[in-house]
Amino acid sequence: MDAAALWQRYQDWLYYHEGLGFYLDVSRMGFDDNFLQTLQPKLDKAFKDLAALENGAIANPDENRMVGHYWLRDPDRAPSPELKQGIIDTLEKIETFVHKVHDGEIRPPKAPKFTDLLSIGIGGSALGPEFVAEALAPDFPPLAIHFIDNTDPAGIDRILTKIRDRLASTLVLVISKSGGTPEPRNGMIEVQNAFAAQGLDFAKQAIATTGVGSNLDKTAHSQGWIATFPMEDWVGGRTSELSAVGLLPAALQGIDIRAMLAGAKEMDAATRIPDLKSNPAALLAVSWYYVGNGKGEKDMVILPYKDSLLLFSRYLQQLVMESLGKEKDLDGNNVYQGIAVYGNKGSTDQHAYVQQLREGVPNFFATFIEVLKDREGSSPEIDPGITSGDYLSGFLQGTRKALYENNRQSITVTIPQVNPYTVGALIALYERAVSIYGFLVNVNAYHQPGVEAGKKAAAEILDLQTKVVQLIQQEGKPMYLSQIAEKLGATEDIEPIYKIVRHLAANDRGIALHGNLGKPNSLTVSTT
Ligand SMILES: O=P(O)(O)OC[C@H]1O[C@](O)(CO)[C@@H](O)[C@@H]1O
């Protein structure tokens, strides 16, 4: 396309939302009218399905659940007065609680005020709060946030070491919808140990956000934690950032959560319009469908040109991949759907992987996130008439152009600045784009059956470990791996047994390996 035609296409397809100061440019995606006409019936159905979802349909049939994250920012849309009141009450509870913490009315037993917030959670119970903290936390927040989002002992130590002198003034927030996920449970127990070691009363410094009646909820109540906040059955983990999961830690850090909700509500209204050109979420979903043939054939590379949006791609990775990455469609056919998401930030990535994007395997499309405002206040000139922000803006334009010239397609999302209002809007935009795309490809975007297989296998490994250790202790003499496997009636598990004992031996856990470490069959295993 020559420059004039491209400029025309840019203007024809440019979406602008005045209230949000938000632009979406899909002109560098190659769809044509023919494609759009063919897709229109599916898109019309997706709009209808989405309207039904918002009205309280069981949009997650496998789990027999409603999907209600859109009600969180517009409680009037909740399908019953009770649900509406629940949303309003939780928001008020969060605000009252946060006010009291900031004022020192709710305070730790051995310090005048809480200074730090330690958030323990994983997946949807971590990625949203992490993204928002990185994007929006003030430089000197009332409570400085730290995250434990794994069961990595060294990672836990790193955080606990960082805050060890302020543990007495640290508020611990355990987030888990199910209240039974191993990683946050392990993190919680390790943090409880750290509190005990300093003679601190964990319960007097702990709060939880979890499903009502979950194990975590019961623990928090029986131990007398300061407070618990509900996570509703109809909010999925990966769409929970604008529920208590994300709002509570955000508010504790001094972030304006009402503005986040208002931005999301505004974007929800814009993305509810059943017309492609007037609906930025539909424009995204249709672009994704086009570029990947409705089968996720191209990866989504997220390139925000703003340091504070660094974690947006990690956040989107779960939102998109856990929602869309499905073996079966809603009719039970094997479809192996999904869109792979990765990214980091520009212009940093230009010096990492943009080389491959421009010239290598063309298996992706890029999404540039552009922020118009460079910084608060004025910028010094780096070259005559040129600032650092001009460079950043120039690099974005340059990379977009260079990719296009080599037939690499891209979308550009433009926001006026990074603030609670625009971040709320971005979250809502992608939540709804995922909903629409899910309907376009006919998958249940709200369950995650594939995660269960790995969890189950891990639990079996831990059971096997207990048996292996008991056997080695009982035998009291070195044994070959094959002997262990045979005695346990687990000959098929010889490889996991080897990995278990190798891990224990590396961690002074009373197990030793003898023989050639490079030849597992030669090894004998004993107690130390
Ligand atoms: O909040 P929970 O129940 O601890 O779950 C954490 C995460 O685990 C998953 O269930 C599976 O990865 C996610 O969907 C969820 O966000």
Side-chain angles (χ1 to χ4, degrees), residues 244-374:
V245 167
L247 296 180
L248 177 59
L252 285 164
Q253 292 168 86
I255 295 166
D256 183 348
I257 57 171
R258 292 268 173 184
M260 284 176 76
L261 289 167
K265 182 178 173 178
E266 186 82 56
M267 184 57 87
D268 279 345
T271 54
R272 200 171 280 126
I273 298 170
D275 169 59
L276 177 63
K277 277 199 157 175
S278 322
N279 181 329
L283 285 168
L284 281 183
V286 165
S287 299
W288 300 348
Y289 192 101
Y290 168 76
V291 76
N293 278 327
K295 295 185 193 131
E297 286 170 9
K298 297 263 160 95
D299 300 346
M300 186 188 306
V301 181
I302 304 287
L303 281 167
Y305 276 62
K306 190 54 75 183
D307 288 1
S308 63
L309 297 180
L310 173 72
L311 297 184
F312 194 42
S313 58
R314 283 190 65 203
Y315 168 75
L316 288 182
Q317 209 163 48
Q318 188 204 18
L319 177 64
V320 174
M321 296 178 75
E322 203 169 71
S323 301
L324 303 177
K326 299 292 153 71
E327 181 173 85
K328 300 207 181 287
D329 69 10
L330 281 162
D331 303 319
N333 304 310
N334 280 346
V335 288
Y336 308 107
Q337 276 291 354
I339 303 176
V341 178
Y342 65 94
N344 185 33
K345 65 173 171 141
S347 70
T348 314
D349 288 347
Q350 288 177 215
H351 304 271
Y353 58 75
V354 169
Q355 162 65 30
Q356 175 169 323
L357 297 191
R358 170 109 205 302
E359 295 183 355
V361 51
N363 62 348
F364 72 94
F365 65 101
T367 302
F368 296 99
I369 315 274
E370 178 184 28
V371 180
L372 292 176
K373 192 170 172 70
D374 288 338

Side-chain angles (χ1 to χ4, degrees), residues 122-125 175-179 181 184 237-238 318 322 448 451 455:
I122 196 165
S125 295
I175 311 176
S176 175
K177 178 178 176 182
S178 60
T181 308
R238 52 189 173 274
Q318 188 204 18
E322 203 169 71
Q448 51 286 328
V451 186
K455 284 189 191 168

